[in-house]
Amino acid sequence: MAVTRKMRSRIDNLLTVYLNHLERHEGGWHGENDLHRLQVWKGDLPPASGMDTSNDFMIQAAGATRERHAELTIIQWLLGMPEPCKDCGKGNEPVCGTCSGLGVTIRKGQIKQEYSLVLLAQRYWQQDPAHVVCGRLGLKSEKQMEGRLSRAREALAIELCKYDELKRLILLASSASARIAEIATV
């Protein structure tokens, strides 16, 4: 399946929604985010310093006004959710083979974990040269990364088409049910 320009744009927008959610800054634009802390601390979040209570009110107020993006649930279901890597630090290798040293794995998505990781890495590190991103992902070449990106986009496009079809069928069923109920009450 060839991924159309429109579908590619939709995928890019969904990846942005996913990353924006993961990168949300609790105390302001300059603060660390959960994704950065998971990466730096190799899957474990650092303990609280005890010095970060001055912004609690502001953080709670900002959290109360923040709404989830309408498309967040679907992209989380398709890609999966990030979890600390359980294999980091267990082997003798300098880079973990499970998470490529990121400290985070993506679990329980509809597409393969390596597809989720390459899609997110390509968007997250878009300012970095491709060979650097390849190294972070444990890929041997840029060609290997391009192939995996292509297969990942195709897999995500297929799942999005399935989702769209299910959504259309549900809308048809609900409108048919409403018409039947309307006729029954007449």
Side-chain angles (χ1 to χ4, degrees):
M1 170 186 182
V3 179
T4 64
R5 181 176 290 165
K6 184 177 177 181
M7 180 60 80
R8 186 176 175 138
S9 176
R10 183 177 177 194
I11 289 170
D12 288 343
N13 288 335
L14 287 170
L15 292 171
T16 300
V17 167
Y18 190 91
L19 286 170
N20 283 342
H21 177 72
L22 290 179
E23 292 181 308
R24 67 188 182 274
H25 298 283
E26 298 297 336
W29 67 270
H30 60 281
E32 284 186 326
N33 57 59
D34 291 341
L35 185 62
H36 181 258
R37 283 186 288 230
L38 280 168
Q39 183 180 354
V40 169
W41 287 79
K42 302 292 185 209
D44 290 329
L45 290 177
S49 67
M51 305 298 280
D52 49 18
T53 59
S54 63
N55 292 328
D56 283 352
F57 179 77
M58 181 191 67
I59 292 169
Q60 289 173 352
T65 60
R66 184 183 303 123
E67 293 182 22
R68 291 172 59 93
H69 192 281
E71 298 288 334
L72 180 60
T73 304
I74 184 65
I75 193 63
Q76 285 176 331
W77 178 71
L78 291 169
L79 293 183
M81 296 299 294
E83 296 177 357
C85 179
K86 294 173 178 64
D87 297 331
C88 276
K90 290 183 180 177
N92 295 332
E93 303 91 27
V95 175
C96 174
T98 303
C99 69
S100 300
L102 297 173
V104 178
T105 58
I106 307 292
R107 299 274 189 227
K108 300 177 184 169
Q110 299 304 305
I111 65 171
K112 293 179 180 180
Q113 175 184 350
E114 59 266 20
Y115 290 171
S116 295
L117 282 175
V118 75
L119 285 167
L120 291 169
Q122 190 261 343
R123 292 287 295 171
Y124 187 71
W125 289 312
Q126 63 186 341
Q127 301 301 322
D128 295 343
H131 71 277
V132 173
V133 178
C134 288
R136 288 177 179 153
L137 291 172
L139 300 175
K140 296 175 184 169
S141 68
E142 292 178 34
K143 187 175 181 177
Q144 185 183 15
M145 185 171 113
E146 285 301 319
R148 189 171 288 179
L149 269 171
S150 177
R151 290 188 304 276
R153 284 189 190 105
E154 287 176 11
L156 196 53
I158 288 168
E159 292 300 323
L160 281 169
C161 288
K162 288 178 189 177
Y163 169 78
D164 291 343
E165 183 63 17
L166 284 171
K167 189 175 173 182
R168 187 184 70 77
L169 290 172
I170 289 169
L171 286 172
L172 283 173
S174 66
S175 65
S177 295
R179 279 190 236 135
I180 290 171
E182 184 180 308
I183 291 170
T185 57
V186 174

